[in-house]
């Protein structure tokens, strides 16, 4: 009964979104719904379980991607880009339905309970996100393993050089001098903190740790080259 209700609610909210093209939705009950005007693009998706349907209803912005990554929302025809185009092409012209307003209201009421991020839970969340095999980070980060965007002054320099340029640019804008303190919130592996401490006038840089079990310099970390004279 609840499964059928979820399917009906989702179908009711999908209908006004898909104005052009065709989107076929196969629900866990086996029911197939067609939305759209019969033009292109066309796509077909299938929900593998009723909880996936409820997840989309409860928080579509977050859970649409989550259900797709978990294999519970399966694209059977077309691509995920076709599906997104069908759903979003006319979304800005569709007024928010009473169903969505009701679900949003309940979600906001339950948010303090569902997202009660206590210190222990927060630490576990950080560990789950960051404490991965170092070989993964070596595939796409520089030697200091910095997450934020690099600064490509020429456009074709190596990533390590561009990250070094970014740190020099930040230090220059901060006008760091001896005795200054810099709080690096979300410092990752501490590359910027190391740079400020070693190069930028020996500033003291207390860091706000993000990666608990890996609060260490990368094995290939090396002293930073001297900053160019201004």
């Amino acid at each position: 009964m609840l499964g059928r209700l979820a399917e009906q609610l989702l179908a009711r909210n999908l209908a006004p979104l898909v104005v052009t093209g065709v989107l076929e939705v196969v629900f866990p009950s086996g029911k197939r719904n067609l939305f759209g005007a019969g033009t292109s693009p066309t796509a077909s998706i299938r929900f593998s379980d009723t909880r996936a349907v409820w997840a989309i209803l409860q928080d579509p912005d977050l859970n649409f991607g989550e259900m797709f990554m978990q294999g519970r929302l399966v694209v059977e025809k077309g691509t995920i880009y076709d599906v997104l185009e069908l759903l979003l092409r006319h979304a800005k012209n569709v007024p928010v339905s009473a169903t969505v307003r009701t679900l949003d209201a309940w979600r906001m009421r339950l948010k303090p309970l569902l997202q009660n991020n206590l210190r222990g839970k927060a630490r576990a969340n950080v560990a789950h996100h960051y404490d991965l095999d170092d070989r993964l980070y070596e595939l796409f980060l520089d030697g200091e393993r910095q997450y934020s965007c690099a600064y490509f002054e020429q456009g074709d320099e190596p990533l390590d050089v561009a990250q070094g340029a970014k740190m020099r640019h930040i230090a220059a804008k901060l006008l760091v001098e001896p005795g200054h303190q810099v709080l690096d919130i979300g410092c990752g592996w501490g590359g910027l903190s190391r740079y400020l401490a070693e190069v930028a006038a020996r500033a003291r840089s207390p860091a706000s740790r993000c990666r608990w079990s890996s609060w260490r310099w990368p094995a290939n970390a090396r002293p930073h080259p001297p900053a160019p004279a201004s």
Side-chain angles (χ1 to χ4, degrees):
M1 181 177 178
L2 289 177
R4 292 295 178 93
L5 175 61
E7 294 178 5
Q8 291 172 6
L9 289 175
L10 185 56
R12 187 181 303 169
N13 284 278
L14 288 176
L17 291 175
V18 186
V19 178
T20 57
V22 177
L23 177 64
E24 180 185 47
V25 179
V26 183
F27 289 107
S29 65
K31 183 179 180 180
R32 295 174 178 265
N33 282 51
L34 288 175
F35 305 96
T39 56
S40 62
T42 62
S44 176
I45 60 175
R46 175 176 55 82
F47 288 96
S48 64
D49 61 275
T50 300
R51 291 181 64 184
V53 179
W54 279 114
I56 298 293
L57 285 169
Q58 290 165 6
D59 194 342
D61 294 338
L62 172 65
N63 289 327
F64 189 91
E66 291 289 330
M67 295 303 101
F68 175 71
M69 290 189 297
Q70 293 175 20
R72 298 164 66 188
L73 186 159
V74 181
V75 179
E76 297 195 316
K77 180 181 178 181
T79 68
I80 187 63
Y81 302 106
D82 296 326
V83 175
L84 291 173
E85 181 180 355
L86 287 166
L87 293 174
L88 299 178
R89 178 185 286 177
H90 302 286
K92 65 179 180 181
N93 301 320
V94 178
V96 179
S97 68
T99 302
V100 172
R101 290 197 301 269
T102 301
L103 289 170
D104 281 344
W106 276 106
R107 186 167 66 245
M108 294 305 296
R109 287 187 180 186
L110 294 174
K111 187 175 181 179
L113 178 63
L114 298 176
Q115 297 184 356
N116 188 12
N117 200 22
L118 300 176
R119 182 175 298 181
K121 183 180 178 182
R123 183 167 185 167
N125 289 340
V126 170
H128 176 76
H129 184 77
Y130 288 101
D131 290 348
L132 306 175
D133 194 307
D134 287 346
R135 291 173 296 180
L136 171 65
Y137 295 106
E138 290 170 358
L139 293 174
F140 61 94
L141 298 180
D142 67 308
E144 295 291 343
R145 298 185 188 164
Q146 298 182 80
Y147 260 78
S148 57
C149 295
Y151 181 32
F152 289 87
E153 296 174 295
Q154 305 300 323
D156 58 354
E157 57 265 59
L159 181 59
D160 280 327
V161 174
Q163 288 289 14
K166 176 197 70 181
M167 292 190 291
R168 290 196 304 273
H169 189 58
I170 292 174
K173 293 183 74 172
L174 290 176
L175 300 175
V176 179
E177 297 178 0
H180 286 179
Q181 295 187 26
V182 178
L183 176 61
D184 189 0
I185 300 175
C187 64
W189 282 263
L192 179 61
S193 296
R194 274 170 37 83
Y195 181 83
L196 295 176
E198 294 177 6
V199 177
R202 307 297 298 179
R204 181 184 176 190
S205 182
S208 172
R209 290 184 285 183
C210 269
R211 194 169 187 263
W212 297 88
S213 70
S214 297
W215 181 239
R216 59 185 184 275
W217 307 128
N220 61 341
R222 55 194 180 278
H224 295 284
S230 57

